[in-house]
Amino acid sequence: MSNRIVSLLNIEKPFIQAPMSWVTNAEFVAAVSNAGGLGVLGPNAGQTTLTTSPEETAERMRQEIRKTKALTDKPFGVNLAPNADQAKDPWTRPILNVIKEEGVHAVVWMGMGEGTVLPEIFAELKQAGIKILYRAITPTVQNTRQAEEAGADIIVATGFDEGGLMPERAIGTFAIVPMIADAVRQAPVLAAGGIADARTAKAAFALGAEGIFVGTALLATHENPAHPKVKQALIDSQPTDLLLFRAPPSFVRSTAGKLAKELAEKSLNGADDAEISQHLAGLSGFGTGMMQGDLDSGWGSFGLGVGHIHRIKSVAEAMADMLSWQNT
Protein backbone atom coordinates (compact mmCIF):
# COMPACT_ATOMS: atom_id res chain seq x y z
CA MET A 1 0.00 0.00 0.00
CA SER A 2 1.36 3.40 -0.95
CA ASN A 3 0.28 6.47 1.01
CA ARG A 4 1.77 9.48 2.77
CA ILE A 5 3.01 7.47 5.79
CA VAL A 6 4.86 5.07 3.52
CA SER A 7 6.35 7.89 1.47
CA LEU A 8 7.39 10.05 4.42
CA LEU A 9 9.17 7.22 6.23
CA ASN A 10 10.47 5.41 3.12
CA ILE A 11 8.90 2.13 4.27
CA GLU A 12 6.75 -0.44 2.51
CA LYS A 13 3.78 -0.72 4.86
CA PRO A 14 1.95 1.92 6.95
CA PHE A 15 2.80 0.03 10.12
CA ILE A 16 4.73 1.55 13.03
CA GLN A 17 5.83 -0.44 16.07
CA ALA A 18 5.24 1.19 19.45
CA PRO A 19 8.45 1.84 21.47
CA MET A 20 7.59 -0.40 24.43
CA SER A 21 10.46 0.48 26.77
CA TRP A 22 12.11 -2.76 27.95
CA VAL A 23 10.29 -5.00 25.49
CA THR A 24 12.19 -3.88 22.42
CA ASN A 25 15.68 -4.72 21.23
CA ALA A 26 17.71 -4.67 18.02
CA GLU A 27 16.50 -8.08 16.83
CA PHE A 28 12.83 -7.22 17.33
CA VAL A 29 13.06 -3.73 15.82
CA ALA A 30 15.01 -5.02 12.82
CA ALA A 31 12.35 -7.72 12.28
CA VAL A 32 9.64 -5.04 12.07
CA SER A 33 11.66 -2.91 9.65
CA ASN A 34 12.67 -5.91 7.54
CA ALA A 35 8.98 -6.84 7.26
CA GLY A 36 8.26 -3.42 5.76
CA GLY A 37 7.22 -1.34 8.77
CA LEU A 38 9.06 1.08 11.02
CA GLY A 39 10.67 -0.57 14.04
CA VAL A 40 11.34 1.69 17.03
CA LEU A 41 13.84 1.25 19.87
CA GLY A 42 12.27 2.02 23.25
CA PRO A 43 14.00 3.87 26.11
CA ASN A 44 15.41 0.67 27.64
CA ALA A 45 15.81 -1.30 24.41
CA GLY A 46 18.03 -4.33 24.79
CA GLN A 47 18.68 -3.70 28.48
CA THR A 48 18.28 -5.85 31.57
CA THR A 49 19.38 -3.29 34.17
CA LEU A 50 18.59 0.34 34.90
CA THR A 51 21.17 3.09 35.01
CA THR A 52 20.83 6.54 36.60
CA SER A 53 23.45 8.02 34.27
CA PRO A 54 22.15 9.96 31.25
CA GLU A 55 25.49 9.48 29.51
CA GLU A 56 25.49 5.72 30.04
CA THR A 57 21.87 5.55 28.92
CA ALA A 58 22.81 7.33 25.70
CA GLU A 59 25.78 5.05 25.06
CA ARG A 60 23.65 1.97 25.66
CA MET A 61 21.23 3.33 23.06
CA ARG A 62 24.13 3.92 20.67
CA GLN A 63 25.13 0.27 20.93
CA GLU A 64 21.56 -0.91 20.35
CA ILE A 65 21.26 1.38 17.33
CA ARG A 66 24.43 -0.11 15.90
CA LYS A 67 23.20 -3.64 16.52
CA THR A 68 19.98 -2.74 14.68
CA LYS A 69 21.94 -1.33 11.75
CA ALA A 70 23.81 -4.62 11.49
CA LEU A 71 20.50 -6.48 11.17
CA THR A 72 18.63 -4.23 8.74
CA ASP A 73 19.31 -1.63 6.08
CA LYS A 74 15.73 -0.39 6.41
CA PRO A 75 14.62 2.76 8.28
CA PHE A 76 13.97 2.49 12.03
CA GLY A 77 13.37 4.94 14.85
CA VAL A 78 14.14 5.76 18.48
CA ASN A 79 11.81 6.97 21.22
CA LEU A 80 12.23 10.44 22.78
CA ALA A 81 10.30 11.58 25.87
CA PRO A 82 11.44 15.13 26.67
CA ASN A 83 10.51 17.12 29.75
CA ALA A 84 8.88 20.46 28.99
CA ASP A 85 11.47 22.06 31.29
CA GLN A 86 14.76 21.19 29.61
CA ALA A 87 16.70 22.58 32.58
CA LYS A 88 15.32 19.66 34.59
CA ASP A 89 15.87 17.08 31.85
CA PRO A 90 19.38 15.61 31.74
CA TRP A 91 18.29 12.69 29.53
CA THR A 92 17.05 14.13 26.24
CA ARG A 93 20.19 15.94 25.05
CA PRO A 94 22.58 12.94 25.26
CA ILE A 95 20.07 10.67 23.51
CA LEU A 96 19.35 13.33 20.89
CA ASN A 97 23.04 13.70 20.13
CA VAL A 98 23.38 9.93 19.65
CA ILE A 99 20.33 9.84 17.38
CA LYS A 100 21.86 12.52 15.16
CA GLU A 101 25.37 11.07 15.21
CA GLU A 102 24.14 7.59 14.29
CA GLY A 103 21.89 8.76 11.47
CA VAL A 104 18.63 7.41 12.88
CA HIS A 105 15.76 7.90 10.44
CA ALA A 106 12.92 8.88 12.78
CA VAL A 107 11.91 9.61 16.35
CA VAL A 108 8.68 8.81 18.14
CA TRP A 109 8.25 11.91 20.28
CA MET A 110 6.31 11.14 23.45
CA GLY A 111 4.49 14.32 24.48
CA MET A 112 4.14 14.16 28.26
CA GLY A 113 2.07 16.43 30.51
CA GLU A 114 0.13 18.81 28.30
CA GLY A 115 1.64 17.11 25.27
CA THR A 116 5.10 18.65 25.40
CA VAL A 117 6.07 20.35 22.14
CA LEU A 118 9.55 21.91 22.00
CA PRO A 119 9.87 23.84 18.70
CA GLU A 120 13.62 24.33 19.07
CA ILE A 121 14.25 20.58 19.29
CA PHE A 122 11.75 19.89 16.52
CA ALA A 123 13.74 22.30 14.34
CA GLU A 124 16.99 20.57 15.27
CA LEU A 125 15.55 17.19 14.26
CA LYS A 126 14.19 18.58 11.01
CA GLN A 127 17.54 20.12 10.15
CA ALA A 128 19.16 16.72 10.66
CA GLY A 129 16.65 15.12 8.28
CA ILE A 130 14.97 13.10 11.06
CA LYS A 131 11.23 12.48 10.75
CA ILE A 132 9.10 13.31 13.80
CA LEU A 133 6.21 11.06 14.77
CA TYR A 134 4.45 13.07 17.48
CA ARG A 135 2.54 11.03 20.05
CA ALA A 136 0.93 13.03 22.84
CA ILE A 137 0.14 10.79 25.81
CA THR A 138 -3.21 12.60 25.93
CA PRO A 139 -4.03 13.81 22.41
CA THR A 140 -5.96 17.07 22.04
CA VAL A 141 -6.80 19.36 19.16
CA GLN A 142 -4.51 21.97 20.73
CA ASN A 143 -1.36 19.84 21.14
CA THR A 144 -1.94 18.27 17.73
CA ARG A 145 -1.91 21.68 16.06
CA GLN A 146 1.04 22.86 18.16
CA ALA A 147 3.06 19.83 17.08
CA GLU A 148 2.10 20.20 13.45
CA GLU A 149 3.01 23.90 13.44
CA ALA A 150 6.37 23.04 15.06
CA GLY A 151 7.15 20.60 12.26
CA ALA A 152 5.82 17.18 13.24
CA ASP A 153 5.66 14.98 10.15
CA ILE A 154 3.11 12.48 11.48
CA ILE A 155 0.60 12.64 14.35
CA VAL A 156 -0.26 9.59 16.48
CA ALA A 157 -3.83 9.55 17.81
CA THR A 158 -3.80 7.35 20.90
CA GLY A 159 -7.04 6.00 22.34
CA PHE A 160 -7.73 4.79 25.89
CA ASP A 161 -7.83 1.23 24.49
CA GLU A 162 -4.03 1.08 24.49
CA GLY A 163 -1.59 -0.58 26.87
CA GLY A 164 1.49 1.07 28.35
CA LEU A 165 1.36 4.69 29.52
CA MET A 166 -2.25 5.62 28.86
CA PRO A 167 -4.06 8.90 28.15
CA GLU A 168 -5.38 10.92 31.07
CA ARG A 169 -8.85 11.04 29.51
CA ALA A 170 -10.94 7.94 28.88
CA ILE A 171 -11.57 8.61 25.19
CA GLY A 172 -11.50 5.44 23.11
CA THR A 173 -9.72 4.91 19.81
CA PHE A 174 -12.98 5.14 17.83
CA ALA A 175 -13.50 8.67 19.18
CA ILE A 176 -9.95 10.02 19.27
CA VAL A 177 -8.83 9.00 15.77
CA PRO A 178 -11.50 10.93 13.83
CA MET A 179 -11.13 13.87 16.24
CA ILE A 180 -7.38 14.14 15.53
CA ALA A 181 -7.83 13.37 11.82
CA ASP A 182 -10.22 16.32 11.64
CA ALA A 183 -7.87 18.54 13.69
CA VAL A 184 -4.74 18.20 11.54
CA ARG A 185 -4.19 20.67 8.75
CA GLN A 186 -1.87 18.53 6.67
CA ALA A 187 0.04 15.84 8.61
CA PRO A 188 -1.13 12.23 8.23
CA VAL A 189 -2.45 10.43 11.30
CA LEU A 190 -1.56 7.07 12.85
CA ALA A 191 -4.12 5.25 14.99
CA ALA A 192 -3.01 3.67 18.27
CA GLY A 193 -4.90 1.68 20.88
CA GLY A 194 -6.53 -1.74 20.65
CA ILE A 195 -5.43 -2.47 17.07
CA ALA A 196 -4.56 -6.15 16.96
CA ASP A 197 -6.11 -7.78 13.89
CA ALA A 198 -7.34 -7.02 10.36
CA ARG A 199 -10.76 -5.84 11.60
CA THR A 200 -9.41 -3.25 13.99
CA ALA A 201 -6.77 -2.10 11.48
CA LYS A 202 -9.41 -1.65 8.77
CA ALA A 203 -11.55 0.31 11.22
CA ALA A 204 -8.62 2.63 11.99
CA PHE A 205 -8.26 3.51 8.31
CA ALA A 206 -12.02 4.03 8.00
CA LEU A 207 -11.81 6.54 10.86
CA GLY A 208 -9.26 8.67 9.02
CA ALA A 209 -5.91 7.13 9.91
CA GLU A 210 -3.31 6.48 7.21
CA GLY A 211 -1.39 3.94 9.26
CA ILE A 212 -1.39 1.97 12.49
CA PHE A 213 0.79 2.22 15.59
CA VAL A 214 0.93 -1.20 17.26
CA GLY A 215 2.28 -2.50 20.57
CA THR A 216 0.36 -5.31 22.26
CA ALA A 217 -0.11 -7.43 19.13
CA LEU A 218 3.66 -7.43 18.58
CA LEU A 219 4.35 -8.66 22.11
CA ALA A 220 2.90 -11.98 20.97
CA THR A 221 5.68 -12.60 18.46
CA HIS A 222 8.69 -14.91 18.46
CA GLU A 223 11.12 -12.01 18.04
CA ASN A 224 9.80 -9.89 20.90
CA PRO A 225 11.98 -10.10 24.06
CA ALA A 226 9.04 -10.27 26.52
CA HIS A 227 9.15 -13.30 28.84
CA PRO A 228 7.30 -16.42 27.60
CA LYS A 229 5.00 -16.24 30.65
CA VAL A 230 3.96 -12.75 29.57
CA LYS A 231 3.23 -13.91 26.03
CA GLN A 232 1.14 -16.79 27.36
CA ALA A 233 -0.73 -14.46 29.72
CA LEU A 234 -1.47 -12.19 26.76
CA ILE A 235 -2.88 -15.05 24.69
CA ASP A 236 -4.95 -16.29 27.63
CA SER A 237 -6.41 -12.84 28.45
CA GLN A 238 -9.62 -11.13 27.49
CA PRO A 239 -10.12 -7.37 27.98
CA THR A 240 -12.35 -8.16 30.98
CA ASP A 241 -9.40 -9.86 32.73
CA LEU A 242 -7.27 -6.72 32.83
CA LEU A 243 -7.05 -4.28 35.73
CA LEU A 244 -7.03 -0.50 35.46
CA PHE A 245 -5.40 1.69 38.09
CA ARG A 246 -3.99 5.17 38.57
CA ALA A 247 -0.29 5.49 37.79
CA PRO A 248 1.11 9.03 37.51
CA PRO A 249 0.79 10.83 35.20
CA SER A 250 -2.25 8.85 34.03
CA PHE A 251 -3.33 5.20 34.18
CA VAL A 252 -2.00 1.68 33.63
CA ARG A 253 -3.93 -1.32 32.35
CA SER A 254 -2.30 -4.49 33.63
CA THR A 255 -2.52 -8.24 33.91
CA ALA A 256 -4.11 -9.28 37.20
CA GLY A 257 -1.02 -10.32 39.20
CA LYS A 258 -0.46 -9.74 42.91
CA LEU A 259 1.16 -6.31 42.56
CA ALA A 260 -1.42 -5.12 40.04
CA LYS A 261 -4.27 -6.16 42.34
CA GLU A 262 -2.69 -4.25 45.22
CA LEU A 263 -2.27 -1.17 43.01
CA ALA A 264 -5.85 -1.40 41.75
CA GLU A 265 -7.08 -1.60 45.35
CA LYS A 266 -4.97 1.39 46.42
CA SER A 267 -6.21 3.34 43.42
CA LEU A 268 -9.84 2.48 44.23
CA ASN A 269 -9.34 3.51 47.86
CA GLY A 270 -8.01 6.94 46.91
CA ALA A 271 -4.25 6.54 47.47
CA ASP A 272 -2.34 9.62 46.35
CA ASP A 273 0.10 9.70 43.44
CA ALA A 274 3.16 9.48 45.70
CA GLU A 275 1.94 6.27 47.36
CA ILE A 276 0.95 4.71 44.05
CA SER A 277 4.30 5.64 42.47
CA GLN A 278 6.29 4.15 45.33
CA HIS A 279 4.33 0.88 45.22
CA LEU A 280 4.42 0.73 41.40
CA ALA A 281 8.24 0.66 41.25
CA GLY A 282 8.07 2.49 37.91
CA LEU A 283 10.00 1.12 34.95
CA SER A 284 11.76 -1.32 37.24
CA GLY A 285 8.43 -2.94 38.11
CA PHE A 286 7.51 -3.03 34.44
CA GLY A 287 10.82 -4.72 33.63
CA THR A 288 10.29 -7.29 36.42
CA GLY A 289 6.92 -8.16 35.01
CA MET A 290 7.52 -8.05 31.26
CA MET A 291 11.12 -9.25 31.04
CA GLN A 292 11.37 -11.64 33.99
CA GLY A 293 7.82 -12.92 33.76
CA ASP A 294 7.19 -12.20 37.46
CA LEU A 295 3.70 -10.75 37.30
CA ASP A 296 3.30 -10.87 41.07
CA SER A 297 6.35 -8.80 42.06
CA GLY A 298 6.16 -6.71 38.88
CA TRP A 299 3.44 -5.65 36.48
CA GLY A 300 2.67 -6.12 32.83
CA SER A 301 0.65 -3.98 30.48
CA PHE A 302 -1.57 -4.98 27.58
CA GLY A 303 -4.05 -3.05 25.46
CA LEU A 304 -7.67 -4.03 24.90
CA GLY A 305 -6.75 -5.83 21.68
CA VAL A 306 -5.76 -8.92 23.69
CA GLY A 307 -9.04 -10.63 22.84
CA HIS A 308 -8.02 -10.74 19.16
CA ILE A 309 -4.65 -12.42 19.79
CA HIS A 310 -4.72 -16.22 19.93
CA ARG A 311 -1.21 -17.50 19.21
CA ILE A 312 2.43 -16.54 18.94
CA LYS A 313 3.42 -15.51 15.41
CA SER A 314 6.48 -14.15 13.68
CA VAL A 315 6.62 -10.36 13.41
CA ALA A 316 6.20 -10.63 9.63
CA GLU A 317 3.11 -12.85 9.98
CA ALA A 318 1.51 -10.62 12.61
CA MET A 319 2.02 -7.55 10.45
CA ALA A 320 0.75 -9.28 7.32
CA ASP A 321 -2.36 -10.49 9.13
CA MET A 322 -3.22 -7.01 10.42
CA LEU A 323 -2.86 -5.50 6.95
CA SER A 324 -4.50 -8.39 5.09
CA TRP A 325 -7.77 -6.45 4.70
CA GLN A 326 -6.02 -4.28 2.10
CA ASN A 327 -5.93 -7.26 -0.25
CA THR A 328 -9.66 -7.95 -0.13
Side-chain angles (χ1 to χ4, degrees):
M1 178 180 185
S2 179
N3 67 9
R4 292 191 294 169
I5 299 285
V6 167
S7 297
L8 277 166
L9 298 176
N10 194 27
I11 57 179
E12 298 169 17
K13 300 172 182 177
F15 188 109
I16 283 70
Q17 165 242 310
M20 300 175 284
S21 190
W22 295 96
V23 279
T24 63
N25 61 15
E27 292 78 10
F28 171 63
V29 168
V32 175
S33 291
N34 284 332
L38 184 79
V40 182
L41 292 167
N44 294 289
Q47 305 306 311
T48 57
T49 60
L50 277 173
T51 173
T52 58
S53 165
E55 291 72 23
E56 183 179 350
T57 298
E59 287 308 309
R60 288 184 181 193
M61 180 58 74
R62 188 190 303 277
Q63 295 309 311
E64 208 63 25
I65 289 169
R66 290 179 177 178
K67 289 179 187 177
T68 308
K69 286 180 181 177
L71 295 170
T72 184
D73 59 359
K74 307 290 187 181
F76 65 91
V78 170
N79 188 213
L80 272 182
N83 189 314
D85 185 351
Q86 282 293 282
K88 297 180 180 178
D89 180 2
W91 305 93
T92 297
R93 175 50 57 185
I95 293 286
L96 179 58
N97 289 342
V98 166
I99 287 169
K100 290 165 59 180
E101 290 162 7
E102 295 296 326
V104 172
H105 301 85
V107 298
V108 171
W109 180 288
M110 187 185 298
M112 308 289 283
E114 295 298 317
T116 306
V117 175
L118 301 174
E120 65 279 10
I121 297 183
F122 273 43
E124 187 176 344
L125 289 165
K126 299 288 285 185
Q127 186 174 10
I130 299 168
K131 300 300 183 185
I132 303 168
L133 289 73
Y134 174 76
R135 179 184 171 245
I137 295 300
T138 303
T140 65
V141 169
Q142 182 180 14
N143 60 39
T144 292
R145 289 182 174 166
Q146 286 175 343
E148 192 175 19
E149 288 169 7
D153 296 283
I154 296 167
I155 304 293
V156 183
T158 303
F160 202 71
D161 312 60
E162 75 152 348
L165 186 58
M166 297 168 60
E168 295 177 18
R169 300 188 182 117
I171 303 174
T173 303
F174 266 56
I176 205 71
V177 172
M179 185 184 94
I180 298 303
D182 289 346
V184 294
R185 294 188 169 91
Q186 184 174 359
V189 171
L190 289 165
I195 300 166
D197 65 356
R199 296 171 297 176
T200 46
K202 184 177 182 180
F205 280 78
L207 293 169
E210 293 184 46
I212 53 177
F213 187 90
V214 178
T216 298
L218 292 177
L219 290 172
T221 59
H222 298 297
E223 296 92 337
N224 187 271
H227 195 279
K229 288 183 180 179
V230 171
K231 297 181 183 183
Q232 190 60 50
L234 192 160
I235 291 170
D236 292 342
S237 293
Q238 290 293 330
T240 48
D241 299 322
L242 305 179
L243 298 176
L244 182 69
F245 53 84
R246 279 284 301 159
S250 55
F251 299 89
V252 162
R253 181 178 287 113
S254 175
T255 49
K258 180 176 180 291
L259 178 61
K261 290 176 182 177
E262 292 171 356
L263 286 160
E265 184 175 355
K266 285 181 179 293
S267 183
L268 186 64
N269 292 333
D272 62 23
D273 284 357
E275 183 179 354
I276 291 286
S277 293
Q278 183 176 10
H279 203 70
L280 182 68
L283 285 176
S284 177
F286 182 72
T288 298
M290 299 297 278
M291 303 302 290
Q292 298 177 28
D294 185 348
L295 294 171
D296 284 324
S297 300
W299 53 279
S301 185
F302 303 149
L304 294 181
V306 291
H308 312 315
I309 303 167
H310 307 297
R311 63 184 178 87
I312 307 297
K313 304 175 181 179
S314 69
V315 161
E317 184 183 7
M319 290 172 59
D321 286 350
M322 277 181 272
L323 294 176
S324 62
W325 65 272
Q326 296 175 346
N327 303 321
T328 59

